Amino acid sequence: MSAQVSRLPEEGEIVIATVREVTGHGAYVVLDEYNSMTGFLHISEIATGWIRNIERYVRPKQKAVLKVIRVNKARGEVDCSLKQVSGEERKSKLIEVKKNEKAQAFMDFIKARLKMTDAQVSEVEEKILAKYDYVYDVFEEVARKGPEVLDKFELSDDLKKAMEEESNKIQVPQVEVRGVMEISSRKPDGIEIIKTTLAGVESGKGSAKTEVTYIGAPRYRIVVTAENFKVAEKSMNNAVEKVRLAIEKQHGAFNFAREESKKTHQS
């Protein structure tokens, strides 16, 4: 994962570098993912406009996200740019690095625990990367959906168990959207109608979990938890609309008011 993938990076590639030395013309950097290969960051590629002090932008030992703009394969020289890296590219690269670091820690622990060889670890990682962008992604999916995710791979039971236990260390970020429904019915069996309707929207499966709790007649709280607000909002809207239609079909009264949403973690 952090090993050298090829001898030289490609032009246009986003890389992580450590600033080694700052000069009057720019900075020499070490490309972390390419076996500490040296690259050069010219002063004209550090920032737009005139630069009075390079160290305002880059300093020795500092980590930087750079774009490879020229590669001389014959001489093994790499020129980089800081100013050509977009905010989105920088964010994406830092996420990639963080995922790789976490996955490396997980795999190192599993390797030691199961006494695996480097070749065996590489084989497992290759299987994962055939289905996921990053090795870390499989651990995250196990944390979200459960160990059944690993059934798609040909892995030993011991390895699956170890991977599941490492996945349990991940705190899965979740969001919670809430609201209060006021529901009433004049029918003799109105209470049963309401109970049956609310039970029909509760769900603990899929990408969102919906719970309804009784506050006090005629008020009921509905809470939807999901991995992001888009999924949560869609599930909330669907559930509320389902309740509204069912209650109004039975000539009951329905009203809904939103409460403040919040971010949480899956326990």
Side-chain angles (χ1 to χ4, degrees):
M1 288 172 299
S2 59
Q4 187 175 358
V5 178
S6 59
R7 196 177 71 82
L8 289 166
E10 297 293 324
E11 288 186 8
E13 187 174 339
I14 304 298
V15 297
I16 291 285
T18 303
V19 180
R20 190 185 74 196
E21 177 189 359
V22 174
T23 72
H25 300 291
Y28 288 96
V29 300
V30 172
L31 306 185
D32 295 3
E33 300 150 295
Y34 286 90
N35 211 26
S36 298
M37 177 183 293
T38 297
F40 186 64
L41 176 62
H42 192 269
I43 189 170
S44 64
E45 290 296 335
I46 291 177
T48 304
W50 184 61
I51 298 174
R52 178 179 296 183
N53 182 3
I54 292 176
E55 292 202 17
R56 274 192 59 199
Y57 302 91
V58 289
R59 296 177 302 280
K61 298 183 181 178
Q62 177 187 338
K63 295 283 185 184
V65 178
L66 306 176
K67 178 174 285 188
V68 175
I69 55 173
R70 275 181 297 277
V71 177
N72 186 325
K73 294 186 177 180
R75 299 176 63 177
E77 294 177 346
V78 178
D79 290 333
C80 304
S81 174
L82 176 62
K83 73 177 185 181
Q84 292 187 39
V85 178
S86 69
E88 193 57 41
E89 286 172 328
R90 182 176 185 277
K91 180 181 176 184
S92 178
K93 186 64 182 180
L94 291 175
I95 288 172
E96 175 192 331
V97 169
K98 198 154 205 164
K99 282 185 173 186
N100 285 345
E101 286 175 350
K102 288 179 179 178
Q104 185 75 60
F106 286 162
M107 293 306 296
D108 284 348
F109 185 85
I110 291 169
K111 176 186 174 184
R113 177 177 166 179
L114 300 183
K115 296 180 172 59
M116 296 171 70
T117 64
D118 287 342
Q120 288 172 323
V121 172
S122 294
E123 185 182 343
V124 172
E125 290 176 351
E126 283 172 15
K127 286 181 181 179
I128 295 170
L129 292 172
K131 296 181 183 295
Y132 293 87
D133 291 335
Y134 304 104
V135 172
Y136 180 79
D137 290 346
V138 73
F139 288 98
E140 191 171 56
E141 190 168 3
V142 171
R144 289 184 189 278
K145 299 180 180 179
E148 300 79 18
V149 168
L150 298 173
D151 291 343
K152 68 183 80 170
F153 303 102
E154 291 183 13
L155 303 173
S156 69
D157 289 341
D158 285 347
L159 181 53
K160 286 182 181 179
K161 183 67 176 174
M163 290 179 69
E164 180 189 353
E165 289 179 6
E166 289 304 292
S167 299
N168 290 338
K169 296 176 182 178
I170 298 173
Q171 277 198 319
V172 180
Q174 290 193 317
V175 298
E176 184 179 280
V177 294
R178 303 155 62 92
V180 173
M181 298 179 287
E182 290 187 8
I183 308 169
S184 59
S185 173
R186 293 180 180 276
K187 289 194 172 186
D189 59 345
I191 295 296
E192 287 306 312
I193 290 172
I194 292 171
K195 280 184 178 179
T196 302
T197 301
L198 295 179
V201 299
E202 286 196 298
S203 171
K205 295 181 179 179
S207 56
K209 178 182 178 184
T210 303
E211 292 180 302
V212 179
T213 54
Y214 178 66
I215 301 173
R219 303 171 77 232
Y220 301 82
R221 175 169 285 111
I222 180 169
V223 179
V224 178
T225 53
E227 61 188 61
N228 59 58
F229 280 110
K230 185 178 179 181
V231 172
E233 290 286 353
K234 184 177 180 181
S235 295
M236 171 68 86
N237 292 338
N238 288 343
V240 169
E241 185 64 8
K242 186 175 179 180
V243 173
R244 183 186 70 78
L245 289 172
I247 295 300
E248 291 181 353
K249 186 177 181 181
Q250 296 292 333
H251 306 290
F254 176 86
N255 187 53
F256 175 69
R258 292 296 301 266
E259 293 185 309
E260 187 177 349
S261 302
K262 65 178 182 178
K263 289 188 176 182
T264 180
H265 280 90
Q266 183 172 297
S267 56

